[in-house]
Amino acid sequence: MREEVQRIIKLVQDGKLSAEDAAELIDAFASSNGDAHAQEPPPPPPPSEEPHKDPFKSLIESMERLGREANDSVNWKEIAGQVRQGTKKGVEAIRQGLEDVSKGKVNLGWLGMHETREITLPISLPTGKTLKIDNPCGDVKVVGGFDVGSVTAHAKFRGATIEDAKAKAEAYTLIIEESDHVVLIKQPDVTGLTVDLEIQLSGTGSVEVRSDSGEISVLDTMGACRVNAKSGNVRLRGLDGVVEVTSASGNLSVEDTIAPSLVIENKSGDIVLKGVRGNVNVRSASGDVTATNCSSKGMAVESVSGTVKLDLAEAITGRMDVRTVSGSADIAVAPGSDCLVKLSTLSGVVSCELDLEDEAQSNQRVTGRIGAGTGSLDVSAISGNISLRLRDATAE
């Protein structure tokens, strides 16, 4: 079982399988493995010259042979369902179907004929209401500032047969609901459905997006924004309001945004901030954190694995905390800062290019103050170097 899980994870890393589909398959293998142990062992098979091959391993091997495009034609949830049945016959049929896909055969059977459909509908976001988008699988792009609002759905349907796929496409309707505070866009409950949404807003407004798989872009909406994403890159630009982003896997960028509170939690992927103004709280499990030309009265950055690089355009007078477990920290501050300074690392070197009052230093620790010490700059690392310097204003 351990080997199969490792190989499935490798498929995700190679881009042949999404994180969601991988989780389905791993759970299916675990379920089937548990059922097999719960049953009485079958009698030994008669002697055979051909060695028995684990059907689950055969399935994984077939998956590994698939290209990325062929992978799009496979309904992994159906595969996981058959795997959970725990029968060799079902798994061998799956393996054979996967081989047909990898060889480019026309008759794919249940493995996935697909049909596409495009729908465009008008949409308006009244003042004071929030646009909420629930799109489990597919990209979401929201752009503000248009004269007329619209939403375009590029839908793709997988079916057991081409007729099944066409029937799903013909019956498809994008759901738009409006309540006292929310305009909701969501998808019908249809299996094998992937939808890319392009939304043009008339004017501006607040936006909320939830997605399990797909890239998310919210641009020039000049309002608050909340994003909950499991897998896919997230790009935010031109916002004005509270910003909250939770992401499991994917790179994340925020540009030209004013946020009284900006909170980001990202498990895997790089985080880039450009031209952000406001209080910032960033937590990253794996990935670099870079902030360029940012202004903040209060900033907290925590990184488990990755480099932290901050370019602060506004003099420090509030509280700035940077913590990294494994990775270096490079901090560039604006002239006129007024703060206590504390830089420390357990395994690495501390470098400070600023003239500090009451300075005390060693290879792994520097303390002191700039000005009267109204604010604070506290940077620490477990394993990594720390550098503090004056920012280069020409870099803007």
Side-chain angles (χ1 to χ4, degrees), residues 28-275:
F29 283 130
S31 300
S32 298
N33 190 53
D35 293 342
H37 286 298
Q39 298 173 356
E40 291 294 327
S48 172
E49 296 181 0
E50 182 178 353
H52 172 69
K53 191 169 186 179
D54 187 341
F56 293 148
K57 290 186 177 181
S58 298
L59 172 58
I60 298 295
E61 290 173 359
S62 299
M63 291 164 58
E64 290 171 337
R65 288 195 293 269
L66 286 175
R68 296 187 183 186
E69 294 182 358
N71 176 70
D72 290 338
S73 298
V74 180
N75 191 327
W76 294 109
K77 289 188 177 180
E78 291 190 27
I79 289 179
Q82 292 204 27
V83 170
R84 286 189 177 92
Q85 294 177 6
T87 62
K88 178 180 177 181
K89 180 179 178 181
V91 176
E92 288 294 343
I94 294 169
R95 180 188 60 79
Q96 183 60 53
L98 287 169
E99 289 180 351
D100 290 343
V101 173
S102 64
K103 294 175 183 177
K105 293 186 177 180
V106 177
N107 184 13
L108 299 179
W110 62 271
L111 279 173
M113 294 298 183
H114 71 268
E115 184 71 14
T116 60
R117 185 179 178 188
E118 181 176 306
I119 294 178
T120 298
L121 299 174
I123 189 172
S124 62
L125 184 63
T127 302
K129 292 190 177 183
T130 298
L131 176 64
K132 187 173 182 179
I133 303 159
D134 192 347
N135 197 54
C137 186
D139 298 342
V140 175
K141 183 176 182 179
V142 184
V143 184
F146 288 86
D147 294 333
V148 178
S150 66
V151 52
T152 299
H154 305 274
K156 181 178 179 180
F157 308 84
R158 291 184 302 201
T161 63
I162 189 61
E163 290 77 15
D164 181 32
K166 287 183 177 180
K168 291 179 178 179
E170 292 174 357
Y172 172 72
T173 301
L174 182 65
I175 301 173
I176 302 177
E177 299 175 347
E178 185 172 351
S179 61
D180 291 341
H181 304 288
V182 173
V183 175
L184 173 64
I185 298 175
K186 65 179 183 178
Q187 304 299 335
D189 186 10
V190 177
T191 59
L193 173 62
T194 301
V195 183
D196 293 339
L197 291 176
E198 294 184 12
I199 301 168
Q200 297 180 349
L201 287 184
S202 57
T204 58
S206 299
V207 178
E208 294 184 13
V209 182
R210 189 193 72 82
S211 172
D212 292 338
S213 176
E215 296 191 352
I216 297 173
S217 299
V218 181
L219 312 174
D220 305 325
T221 55
M222 297 304 294
C225 183
R226 178 179 290 126
V227 173
N228 190 321
K230 290 185 178 179
S231 176
N233 297 333
V234 177
R235 183 190 178 197
L236 309 179
R237 186 192 71 200
L239 309 181
D240 189 348
V242 174
V243 177
E244 297 178 5
V245 182
T246 302
S247 175
S249 175
N251 297 328
L252 190 151
S253 69
V254 182
E255 305 172 47
D256 302 330
T257 289
I258 301 173
S261 173
L262 188 152
V263 179
I264 296 174
E265 294 188 17
N266 198 21
K267 292 183 179 179
S268 177
D270 296 338
I271 298 173
V272 176
L273 309 180
K274 294 182 180 180

Side-chain angles (χ1 to χ4, degrees), residues 343-350 361-366 386:
L343 316 173
S344 62
T345 176
L346 292 180
S347 176
V349 176
V350 175
Q361 63 174 320
S362 66
N363 285 339
Q364 295 177 316
R365 181 180 175 87
V366 172
I386 294 176

